[in-house]
Every structure is written in C-alpha cells, then in structure tokens.
C-alpha cells in the first residue's frame, strides 16, 4: 500500500488529551445540571432516514444535510433520467436513503413518536451528541460539532420555559461566562407580520431576519426591500430597531401599542408569554430582542439565544418552543420546548477568555519505572495495588536510561515517579521521587499510597 | 408537510433512559479503569477521508465502509464512464470523498502521524466513540455501535501486552462477567504458513481462519480445500485443532515441535512472546487459541479475543499488536498495541445474564408538585435550593389534579414527592410525602434536604 500524507475532512477536528479534558469539564457542568434538574439521558443514532430529516430545517437546512451513499450496488436504484437532466438533487435522492442528523431535536421528535407508549409525560430528556452540517467552515463554525440538549415534551406550561431559562443562567454562571439570554416569541413576530399585512409570508420573513447576525440590520433591510416587504415595516426596523427603541424589557409596551396587538390575538399572546417569562426568570441577563427569529422552521413560541457579553462569538446556545414537531411524524397535540448548548463555541470562548480551572488537566499521579524486566514486572503488581486505592498510576513499559524516563515524566507532568531497581526489588520498596521538590525516599507500596493520598 | 410513520435505519437503535443508565454503568467501569491506568482520552471525527480509511481493513472491510456523498453539485466530478460500465464502485469513488470510521485504530494511527511532534511517547490513549459498518444486521451485530479502545503507541515492549491483558481481566471482573481471554500470535500463524509452504498466501489464510466463529472448523477446512491449501495442513486443522490438542497453554511445546519452529524464526518468536505473556498475565482466564486470526489486515504480533464463558455471544472485546500501521501514513518505526471493548455486546450479555447493579437506574430523588401558578413558581425556588445540595429535583410543570401527578411520580419512581399548596405557601413549608411508606410531613426546605441526604 502506498503511504499517504493524512489529512482531516474540512470542518472536522481531532481532540487531543488536553482539549478533551477541557471539553469534559464543560460537559460535566452541563450534564450535572441536567441530571440535578431531573432530565434523563437518551441517545439516537448518528444516521437517520432522510425521510425523517428532510423538510424540517427549511430549504437551506436540507441542503446542508450530509447524505450517506446506499450500500452495495447503489446504481441499481439510480434515477438515470435525473442524470441526463443534470439534476444532482434528484439523482442524489435515488442513491441515498440515510443522512447524518442535523440537530438533536428532530431525532427527539421521532423518538417520542416511536416510543409514545413507553414514555411518561412530561418527558424531560437530555442528549449530548455530535451533529453534522455541510456548512462553509469558519471561525467557530464546524461541520461536526457537539450539541447538549435538554427538552421537555408533552407540557405546554410556561413553567418549562422558566425552568429552562434558569438552567441557561445557572450553567453559564457555573462555567464563569458572562452571557446575555436574548429572548423573543415567534407569536410576536407573527403578530408583527399580520400588522404589516404580510402574515402569509411569515416563514420567508423569519429566514431573512435570522441573517441579522451575519449581515447586520442594514443587510436585513436591504434583503427585505429586494423581496418587496412593506416599506413601513422596513423603516421601522432600520430606524427603531436599530436605535434600540424596540429592544430590552421595556419595549413590550411599545410593541403592543405600535403593532396594534389589542386587535391581533397571536401578537398579544406572544407579548404576554414574554412578559410572564421575564418576570419569573428574575435575571438581569434576560433581554427581549425583537428581531430574534431563529432559522429553524419548527419554532412556534418563545425562542432563546445566548450571546457572550465578553467576546464576539455568535451564539453559545439557543432554544425555543415547538408545538407541532411530532405532528410531522403523525402524533398531534404534543408540545415541546428545549434548549441547546453549543459545546464547541463554549470551548472556543472559554479558551479565548482563559476560563478553565487550573486543575482541568490534572490527570497524572505517579509513574513507575523499572530498571530491568523483573523490576518492570514487579512494577505492574505495585501498579495494581496503587490503582485499587483510586490513584492514577502508569508503568513505563521500556527498560530505559533514567534520564529518558524522567524526560517523559516531565513532559506528562507526573507529580511522583516511583523507581524500582535491583536494590528496591530485594527490599520490596519503591524509591519515591517527589517531582516538585526532587526529594527521594524508599517506601513500601502501602506508604506510597498514604503519601499520594495525603 | 405530509406526516410519515417514522422508522430507524436498519441496524441502528435508540437508547432510552433505562438503557442509557445501563450503558453508562459499563462505560464508567471501563473508563475508570482506563484513567487509573494512565490512558488519556482523545476523540477523532466520525467522518474521515476515504483515503485514510480504505486499504486498511481488507477488501471485505472496504466494502463495509459507509460513504458520505460529496456536498453541493457532486455530479460535476462524477465519472460518467464508470456508469456506462455499470461499475458502481468506481462511480461511488467519484462522488464520495469521506466515510464514517470503521474502527478507532486507523483514526488513531492517522492522529499519531499528524500530531507526532506534540505527542510524548509511549502514547497511552483511550477513545470511546461509535463506529459504523455496513454489515448485515443480526443478533449482537449492529451497523452503528460503540468501541472503547485503549492503545499504547511507540513502545514494542511486551510489558504493554501484559498490562492490556490485565486490564481486560480486571474490567470484566468489575463487570461481573466470566470470560475467556483467547490469545494467539500472528507470528505463530506466519510460521505455520511457512512450515506448510504457503507463506506467500498468509493474508488469504488469516481471512479464511477468521471465519471460524461463523462457519465452524468444518467450514474453514472446506474453504481451505476449495482454495487449494495443502492437504496436510487442512488435516492437521480438522483433526488436531478440532480435538483440542493444539489449544490451551500446554500446546506451545507441541506447536514448536510439530511445525519445526527451531528452523522458522518468526514462528519461534511468536511462541516465545505468547509464552512470556501467559506467564506474566498470571490469569487462568488466558488461553492460547491456535486458529485465532483476527480479520483486520494490520495485526502483526499478539492478538486477543474475549469470549463469554456463560453465554454464546461472539466476541466481547479484542485487540492486538500492529507494527506498521503508522507507516501507511508515512511514519515508520512506531509500533502499537491495543484492546477494544464492544460496549453493545457487553450490554447484551449483561442484560441476558441480569448482571447490572440494582441501583443502576436510581436517578429520581424528589418531585415537587404545586397546586397553582404561585405554588409552582415557589417550587422552582425550592428546587434550586434542593439541587444546590446535590439532590436531583424535578418540578411538575402543570397545575394538575393530585392523582395525575402521583401517577407520574409512580411511573418515574420518585422516592419523595414534595407538595406545595396554598397552606404550605403561607407557612413556607413543603408537604413531604415518602412514597415507600406513604407518610407525609410538613417541613421547611432545609429539613427536606436533611431528610433526603440522611
């Protein structure tokens, strides 16, 4: 076989031990809070049938799905006609049936429908898995990244939104990150669209609004103009939203009045939900953001997005209420609401801000070094004893010069090195070297354990 | 959007909360042991370039790779000529560049080569991730399943094999599973092939031997016959291997003599390695198995396979020494050895044998139930306080009839239910109901915490 210079697929990454230790720190904070809140873990497969995935994320989302080529002789089912038409989408559909999941929410809806008879509602589940999107890779955006999701299915009580907001708040506090929790409500946006007589173009409107982060308010207004949205609405966006009049917690009254929500029930309901939520969340981090839209098709009520207050980094988390997601799989009347933490972005921000605890990669306790075969074999027995006491212990596998094993110990950051030579073997002791002081002492293995535990 | 009846791709599964709790128990035992032994965790992407994956697992393995369709207009690069030839393999190569990893060993080799300047050798890494194979699904065989791997790279000392055997032994003990650790050495098989003058057909021989579990010794001998392997060798297999003469720990002497290893250096070396290993492993669970071959192309020395002694279930784990894996990516002289635990098979066996601890799904402590909006909001505050004490606490989000919340509590198995009604709200107490006795008592939240911790 010829040797090739290995590379990684665009937008994917390896995680080395130090990175893993830091990622695991974040996951353990998030997972610990999920568990304390009574969420139960599930996992769903990386691959889902494309019939499950498509049509849930909007057209753009569908195009970002990674599709898996059918196994075996896939050409048997290939649609040759679509080839002649140069229609790669249609041809693609004829040779792929599965795709990698794009988020964890649609798989959850599928799971709930398939397991509806075994689930006790309200179903509080969490899920921590990678997701895949064929997006253009850039800073903070990857093609394979982890989402940490908590959702509550089968209860439309606003108490769930309150609990999830508090969860956002407490987890980011525990991670020592200062964030703003931006909230809005799809019903407010719907009311606004109705007020400007574009209620029928609501989805189109949310897709354009969702680009706010990428193109700014000016870009959004330009695109709305290009698409013939009402001038009045665009002026309101470019003037009042841009100046901040319609942002923040006092804006609810203005919104109600300006958009005549007294006569638009859905808008009224949206304002009322946000008002209740803000009051119960009781956190100065929660802020109304009128143009927050969230690009995913399935949201129907409150929507959330987390922004760092300390650095520009896109969204660190998001979420919202979806009333009809399980309907797409044939189960009506099951509302859900959820939040999602973006592990990779949180990692990037915490790295930039240096917010990891100092002890995060503190994982090497003692290295045992033997001077000949017999000494190494004895080290293996010592190692078993030491590990049974809960101490991380490694045995250097090669007979080496003292200097070489010390170099390895330095690189790996061991606190202690235990040396077993001919003399030690005879006396059944370990020469324990404290790497911070350089002190060395001959000790029985039980005393070594006492020293390391003390 | 039309509603569809959802299904899962063939060979994939969902894991519900109870299954996850059990899987997490297994993972925590394995991961805990890996950590105590000084292995460091890494992760590699699910998707690898196909140039990284192909040619490492044999022809059969290559065919079992899940390939990911190129994004965008993949037809631009499509090889139309191969279509006319009905050559789906060639056509497939022109429209796919990435695949899902088939194991965690080849990605590790790639990782080591790409990060060689940052790694301190010997590099002890562990990795717990799903892998994907387009195999025919059947009992105990899935298309997406988890491997838990520990490997040591950059040391050819047999001490590593000893340590890994001990790790197998201790982890299966901790899981309360009685297993046999079958070992063999590719060098012994190579010596045997040389003795029968089929040294040039060694890979072919191992592929046929690897089917032993599927087709039995009779099936193996028939296939060897069909492929014109020497009659003498086949007779030896069908007579002496079948009767057990060449199995077990005393067989090493016989093997040395019968196959004239005094004159076949590689065979001699294999016997010597196995002899040392058996003696140092000091476990009655370790057993030589002459026909153990392991299907993967990359093994060069000792090979391991774990079989349950209590139930028929294929392999629960495996591993071996590979001398040249990083060479395929351009880095010579870096030998490695590793073991892999099959999480899904271990789960299946432990379920069949009922070996999970009783407390494995013991995850619900207290449910708070409020009788009106105000009571529920107060419950959220109580819940925060209770969780800060490390107690798992859930708030029932809906105003419900007492009976309904009690039913939910029963289904989920809460030990306590805390009820907050108008009266309790006034007195700032919780009516704490012990679900096992039915006793109920009014307590301040601090006393509730004491009770649950006690």
């Amino acid at each position: 076989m010829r040797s090739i210079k290995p590379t990684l697929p665009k937008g994917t990454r390896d995680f080395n031990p130090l990175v893993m230790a830091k990622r695991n720190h974040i996951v353990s904070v998030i997972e610990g809070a999920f568990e304390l809140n009574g969420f139960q873990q599930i996992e769903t497969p990386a691959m889902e049938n494309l019939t499950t995935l498509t049509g849930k994320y909007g057209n753009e989302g569908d195009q970002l799905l990674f599709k898996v080529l059918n196994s075996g002789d896939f050409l048997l089912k290939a649609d040759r006609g679509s080839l002649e038409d140069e229609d790669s989408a249609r041809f693609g559909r004829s040779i792929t049936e599965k795709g990698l999941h794009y988020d964890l929410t649609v798989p959850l809806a599928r799971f709930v429908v398939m397991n509806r008879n075994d689930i006790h509602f309200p179903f509080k589940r969490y899920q921590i898995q990678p997701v895949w999107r064929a997006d253009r890779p850039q800073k903070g955006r990857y093609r394979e990244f982890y989402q940490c999701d908590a959702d509550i299915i089968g209860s439309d009580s606003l108490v769930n939104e309150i609990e999830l907001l508090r969860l956002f708040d407490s987890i980011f506090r525990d991670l020592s990150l200062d964030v703003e929790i931006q909230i809005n409500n799809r019903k407010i946006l719907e009311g606004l669209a109705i007020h400007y007589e574009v209620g029928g173009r609501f989805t189109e409107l949310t897709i354009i609004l969702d680009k706010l982060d990428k193109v700014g308010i000016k870009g959004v207004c330009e695109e709305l103009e290009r698409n013939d949205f009402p001038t009045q609405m665009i002026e309101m966006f470019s003037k009042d939203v841009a100046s901040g009049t319609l942002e923040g917690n006092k804006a609810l009254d203005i919104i109600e009045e300006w958009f005549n929500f007294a006569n638009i029930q859905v808008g009224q309901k949206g304002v009322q939900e946000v008002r209740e939520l803000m009051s119960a969340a009781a956190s100065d981090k929660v802020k109304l953001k009128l143009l927050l839209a969230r690009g995913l098709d399935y949201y129907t009520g409150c929507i959330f997005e987390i922004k760092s207050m300390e650095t520009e980094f896109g969204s660190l988390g998001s979420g919202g209420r979806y009333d009809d997601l399980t309907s797409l799989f044939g189960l009506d009347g099951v509302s859900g609401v959820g939040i999602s933490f973006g592990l990779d972005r949180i990692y990037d921000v915490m790295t930039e801000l240096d917010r990891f605890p100092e002890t995060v990669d503190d994982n090497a306790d003692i290295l045992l070094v033997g001077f000949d075969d017999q000494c190494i074999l004895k080290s293996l027995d010592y190692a078993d004893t030491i590990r049974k006491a809960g101490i991380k212990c490694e045995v250097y596998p090669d007979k080496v010069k003292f200097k070489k094993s010390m170099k390895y110990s330095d690189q790996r950051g061991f606190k202690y090195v235990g040396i077993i030579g001919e003399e030690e073997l005879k006396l059944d002791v370990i020469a324990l070297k404290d790497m911070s002081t350089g002190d060395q002492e001959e000790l029985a293995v039980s005393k070594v354990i006492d020293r390391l535990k003390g």
Side-chain angles (χ1 to χ4, degrees), chain A residues 25 175-178 310 349-357:
Chain A
H25 164 74
L175 291 171
S176 310
L177 289 178
D178 188 13
E310 303 164 284
V349 169
M350 287 181 68
T351 301
E352 188 180 315
L353 299 174
D354 197 13
R355 290 291 156 77
F356 288 102

Side-chain angles (χ1 to χ4, degrees), chain A residues 405-436:
Chain A
S405 61
M406 286 299 133
K407 189 182 161 203
Y408 174 75
S409 168
D410 272 349
Q411 290 168 328
R412 285 285 316 283
F414 285 94
K415 295 182 203 70
Y416 290 91
V417 174
I419 302 148
I420 295 106
E422 227 176 291
E423 217 30 49
E424 284 80 15
L425 194 64
K426 226 181 285 170
L427 299 168
D428 194 13
V429 294
I430 298 171
L432 185 72
K433 191 179 170 76
D434 182 330
M435 296 303 282
S436 58

Side-chain angles (χ1 to χ4, degrees), chain A residues 180 182-184 212 217 237 240-252 254-255 278 287-292:
Chain A
E180 180 172 271
Q182 304 180 338
I183 70 170
N184 196 14
L212 185 63
I217 185 72
F237 284 168
D240 302 304
V241 173
S243 72
T245 310
L246 290 171
E247 308 274 290
N249 305 357
K250 285 171 194 154
L252 284 170
I254 307 176
I255 289 170
M278 298 256 216
K287 194 180 167 193
L288 171 74
K289 182 142 193 211
L290 181 63
L291 294 203
L292 180 65

